[in-house]
């Protein structure tokens, strides 16, 4: 307390105010990214269900199923982007912010040191997502394949047939990319090498007046 009766913050308080404010902002961003992931997942289920329901009401509508692989890839890409972003934020909090705060920020470190013990390590989080994203796309490609590659195209023109084949092959390509995204993301969830960890700056010791 100074001679005017006001409390004066110590250097420790000044040193932790910034990291704590940054931690609160980063946690809010993590929550927002998690909410986006839930919305993307719900949108994937809604679009896939609507397209399948419409396409299966008539044999002439099976070509509409080729919408599913393309929309699946776009939604899967956004889902993976948020997942990777959440992982980077957690690592930054654990390795950079936590050492700068007395007592540390224990949650991120505890989660990293105590992973879930069921399932296959490194693939735990992607079980359902392989079904929800590329699995649904593969199902759509399989259902659309007979109409796309059938020998008897009926009244369909050659241009329409070639177009359907091209779109089907495009759907197959983006589905493979979707599988690759999920696989690489699952591999990236493994703990980083200690040599590549982020090291916080050395604290500055300022003399007190």
């Amino acid at each position: 307390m100074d001679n005017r009766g006001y409390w004066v913050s110590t250097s420790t308080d000044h040193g932790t105010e910034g990291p704590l404010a940054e931690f609160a902002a980063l946690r809010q961003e993590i929550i927002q990214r998690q909410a986006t992931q839930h919305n993307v997942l719900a949108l994937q289920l809604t679009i896939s269900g609507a397209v399948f329901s419409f396409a299966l009401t008539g044999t002439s509508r099976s070509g509409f199923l080729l919408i599913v692989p393309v929309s699946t890839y776009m939604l899967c890409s956004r889902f993976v982007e948020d997942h990777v972003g959440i992982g980077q934020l957690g690592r930054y909090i654990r390795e950079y912010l936590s050492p700068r705060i007395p007592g540390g920020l224990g949650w991120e470190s505890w989660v990293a040191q105590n992973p879930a013990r069921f399932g296959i390590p490194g693939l735990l989080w992607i079980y359902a997502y392989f079904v929800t994203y590329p699995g649904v796309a593969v199902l759509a490609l399989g259902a659309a394949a007979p109409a796309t590659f059938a020998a008897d195209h009926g009244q369909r023109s050659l241009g329409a047939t070639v177009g359907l084949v091209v779109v089907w092959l495009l759907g197959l390509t983006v589905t493979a990319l979707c599988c690759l995204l999920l696989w690489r993301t699952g591999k990236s969830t493994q703990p980083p090498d200690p040599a590549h960890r982020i090291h916080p700056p050395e604290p500055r010791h300022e003399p007190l007046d």
Side-chain angles (χ1 to χ4, degrees):
M1 182 179 294
D2 65 6
N3 55 6
R4 293 175 298 173
Y6 294 105
W7 288 103
V8 179
S9 298
T10 63
S11 59
T12 302
D13 293 333
H14 285 302
T16 59
E17 286 178 358
L20 285 175
E22 188 176 4
F23 170 73
L26 294 178
R27 286 300 305 174
Q28 184 61 35
E29 183 176 349
I30 289 175
I31 293 172
Q32 292 175 352
R33 285 181 176 269
Q34 289 175 333
T36 301
Q37 283 187 303
H38 289 300
N39 293 336
V40 168
L41 181 60
L43 187 59
Q44 165 68 2
L45 297 176
T46 301
I47 292 177
S48 301
V51 173
F52 269 97
S53 298
F54 177 77
L56 296 179
T57 56
T59 56
S60 62
R61 298 177 178 177
S62 58
F64 286 96
L65 290 171
L66 298 178
I67 297 173
V68 174
V70 178
S71 64
T72 293
Y73 175 70
M74 292 188 293
L75 293 174
C76 182
S77 299
R78 180 54 194 267
F79 184 91
V80 167
E81 178 185 351
D82 285 322
H83 178 83
V84 172
I86 290 172
Q88 290 178 328
L89 290 169
R91 181 184 171 193
Y92 179 84
I93 291 172
R94 182 173 65 252
E95 298 181 9
Y96 186 82
L97 288 184
S98 183
R100 298 171 61 189
I101 298 175
L105 300 168
W107 172 246
E108 297 292 344
S109 300
W110 188 91
V111 171
Q113 296 171 6
N114 297 273
R117 297 299 181 184
F118 59 92
I120 301 176
L123 297 179
L124 177 64
W125 73 276
I126 55 179
Y127 284 146
Y129 302 129
F130 262 117
V131 176
T132 306
Y133 292 103
V136 170
V138 168
L139 184 61
L141 289 171
T148 303
F149 298 100
D152 182 14
H153 301 298
Q155 302 297 323
R156 196 167 63 195
S157 65
L158 178 61
T161 300
V162 173
L164 277 177
V165 172
V166 170
V167 174
W168 192 94
L169 293 175
L170 174 63
L172 182 63
T173 301
V174 296
T175 300
L177 291 175
C178 190
C179 292
L180 181 62
L181 274 176
L182 291 175
W183 174 259
R184 294 188 64 179
T185 304
K187 297 285 287 184
S188 69
T189 57
Q190 298 177 358
D193 190 286
H196 298 139
R197 291 184 181 276
I198 303 172
H199 298 285
E202 293 293 332
R204 294 181 302 176
H205 300 283
E206 299 179 356
L208 298 177
D209 295 333

